[in-house]
Amino acid sequence: MFNKIKSIIYKKTDFGKTRYLNYLYQYDLKQFYKNSVMGADNNKVLPTKIRLIAHAIEKGLSLPCPKPGFGKKKIQELIALNEEYKGCTEQIDMQVEELVKATVRTYAEFQKKNNIDVSYIPQKYFEEHSSIQVGVGEFEIKDQNNFSEIAYARHSSRNFSERKISTEVILDVVKLAQTAPSACNRQATRVYACINDSKIDQIMKMHGGLNGFNKPAVIFVIAGELNLYQNEFERNTVFVDGGIFIMNLLYALNSFGILSCPIIWGSEPDMDGRLETILNIPHSHKIVALVVAGYPNGKKYKAALSPKRKVEDIVIFK
Ligand SMILES: Cc1cc2nc3c(=O)[nH]c(=O)nc-3n(C[C@H](O)[C@H](O)[C@H](O)COP(=O)(O)O)c2cc1C
């Protein structure tokens, strides 16, 4: 009798159903906190801190109008962290030093061209050439014939023209992105395509990560319909489905000659609430990320080079 009641409580009540989900979220929380920059030993996460600053500098250089003199504090911090990392006995990220050198050198070249003093940067950062290229590249919109060309031709761009994108083109692009696989073909991803001028302004204002970008023609909010997920084992599937869809969307946009950049979404209650209000998104749609998009000015466009890690450094054969 007691076991029957217990089974009813665990299987049928909110208390029972949320207990295991709660345990799994606690498991996620501990794993993330212990190993991410939030809680791990500094020497383990130094390369992450360095990569984040190097990226911020490179992104600053790739914006439509980089401000002469920007980033001095960041460069000083980058150099200090790099020196600290060199002193660590165990170095797991062998690309970091090259990345720092290339970033510092490219940054200094930009500042010197604008007559900004960079004498605070130690001379040794200019002595050896780095094998990595960072900074800004000029790319061309071209037809691509195979997947290798398609993949290597995509770059996140933050430079858009004022040309609008028609709703017909947006539907064609999203239809192409719908070729993405999804868990049990449930196709939970929903695409809010914001083309309204004043709403785009409101979103750009509330999202710090869009500072310095040209105004995009469209802001896509990629969300997942939570009603389509069954249980605790699918608690992260909305992000997997959404992430795969976003990658397809970026390629689809590129194939229509449209530039794009994925934009982080932190899933904080206040920010979710504000975006839900601006675009009238129901709370059952979990916001995964944003994608900003727009046509380039002509056939050529500017984007950060964003070097990739060596393939040997990310593949772990077993
Ligand atoms: C999940 C995710 C979040 C991102 N968020 C931002 C962002 O908030 N602001 C930004 O400028 N770029 C953002 N990006 C773009 C990355 O900076 C870019 O993908 C990276 O530097 C690699 O460059 P690539 O896309 O040209 O290969 C994001 C990318 C991803 C995948």
Side-chain angles (χ1 to χ4, degrees):
M1 182 67 179
F2 176 71
N3 277 347
K4 212 170 167 190
I5 294 170
K6 203 169 116 190
S7 152
I8 290 170
I9 290 174
Y10 277 90
K11 289 205 175 122
K12 303 260 190 256
T13 66
D14 284 346
F15 166 76
K17 284 191 274 185
T18 55
R19 231 176 100 99
Y20 194 55
L21 187 60
N22 194 18
Y23 162 76
L24 292 175
Y25 275 120
Q26 286 298 319
Y27 165 77
D28 291 345
L29 181 150
K30 284 183 198 138
Q31 185 182 33
F32 187 80
Y33 185 75
K34 194 162 176 264
N35 296 290
S36 71
V37 175
M38 290 176 85
D41 291 347
N42 191 42
N43 61 345
K44 287 207 174 134
V45 293
L46 261 175
T48 311
K49 292 182 178 172
I50 292 170
R51 281 183 177 273
L52 282 168
I53 302 174
H55 172 68
I57 294 290
E58 193 188 39
K59 177 177 153 179
L61 291 167
S62 78
L63 288 173
C65 306
K67 275 198 201 122
F70 87 94
K72 180 173 176 183
K73 266 198 182 146
K74 278 200 162 68
I75 284 289
Q76 285 170 321
E77 197 186 343
L78 185 64
I79 291 171
L81 290 177
N82 183 48
E83 295 301 321
E84 190 183 338
Y85 192 49
K86 281 201 296 194
C88 290
T89 41
E90 197 194 352
Q91 294 189 359
I92 45 164
D93 189 343
M94 302 313 288
Q95 204 186 35
V96 153
E97 200 178 351
E98 289 286 290
L99 184 69
V100 172
K101 275 192 211 156
T103 305
V104 171
R105 181 191 295 269
T106 312
Y107 170 87
E109 276 164 13
F110 168 81
Q111 300 298 6
K112 278 184 194 164
K113 266 191 213 149
N114 287 287
N115 298 318
I116 304 285
D117 173 44
V118 285
S119 57
Y120 62 88
I121 298 175
Q123 189 53 32
K124 65 178 180 182
Y125 279 84
F126 300 105
E127 276 157 12
E128 283 166 52
H129 269 279
S130 151
S131 58
I132 304 181
Q133 279 200 312
V134 305
V136 192
E138 194 180 54
F139 302 98
E140 209 177 331
I141 304 276
K142 285 196 254 184
D143 284 344
Q144 292 118 22
N145 300 311
N146 53 49
F147 183 66
S148 170
E149 285 183 14
I150 293 168
Y152 284 115
R154 187 208 56 82
H155 305 279
S156 290
S157 183
R158 295 140 184 118
N159 302 266
F160 310 115
S161 71
E162 288 177 6
R163 186 176 157 199
K164 303 273 180 225
I165 307 176
S166 70
T167 50
E168 290 78 17
V169 168
I170 290 175
L171 289 174
D172 284 346
V173 163
V174 176
K175 191 171 178 197
L176 195 51
Q178 277 186 293
T179 57
S182 68
C184 308
N185 199 25
R186 273 170 284 174
Q187 303 171 64
T189 304
R190 300 289 171 264
V191 180
Y192 291 87
C194 178
I195 50 172
N196 176 292
D197 244 25
S198 87
K199 287 182 180 171
I200 290 177
D201 286 340
Q202 286 176 57
I203 298 170
M204 289 189 79
K205 213 165 150 194
M206 71 178 272
H207 196 298
L210 289 167
N211 287 342
F213 281 49
N214 284 138
K215 187 169 173 171
V218 54
I219 297 185
F220 294 102
V221 175
I222 309 303
E225 169 60 272
L226 291 177
N227 298 161
L228 286 160
Y229 295 102
Q230 341 180 42
N231 54 30
E232 59 272 29
F233 307 115
E234 295 193 334
R235 68 193 179 284
N236 294 317
T237 312
V238 66
F239 299 110
V240 180
D241 278 342
I244 291 173
F245 190 95
I246 289 170
M247 191 67 248
N248 238 26
L249 179 66
L250 304 179
Y251 285 136
L253 286 162
N254 234 37
S255 75
F256 277 76
I258 298 170
L259 306 178
S260 63
C261 184
I263 301 292
I264 201 93
W265 190 254
S267 293
E268 296 160 281
D270 171 52
M271 291 289 274
D272 272 2
R274 284 160 71 186
L275 195 54
E276 285 166 6
T277 306
I278 297 172
L279 298 181
N280 201 13
I281 301 174
H283 197 52
S284 61
H285 288 186
K286 184 77 189 162
I287 300 167
V288 174
L290 316 185
V291 172
V292 293
Y295 287 108
N297 279 301
K299 281 260 167 214
K300 293 201 169 151
Y301 69 96
K302 203 170 99 162
L305 293 169
S306 295
K308 303 297 175 192
R309 291 178 195 257
K310 281 192 193 154
V311 67
E312 294 81 2
D313 291 348
I314 69 151
V315 179
I316 302 137
F317 287 108
K318 292 285 176 181

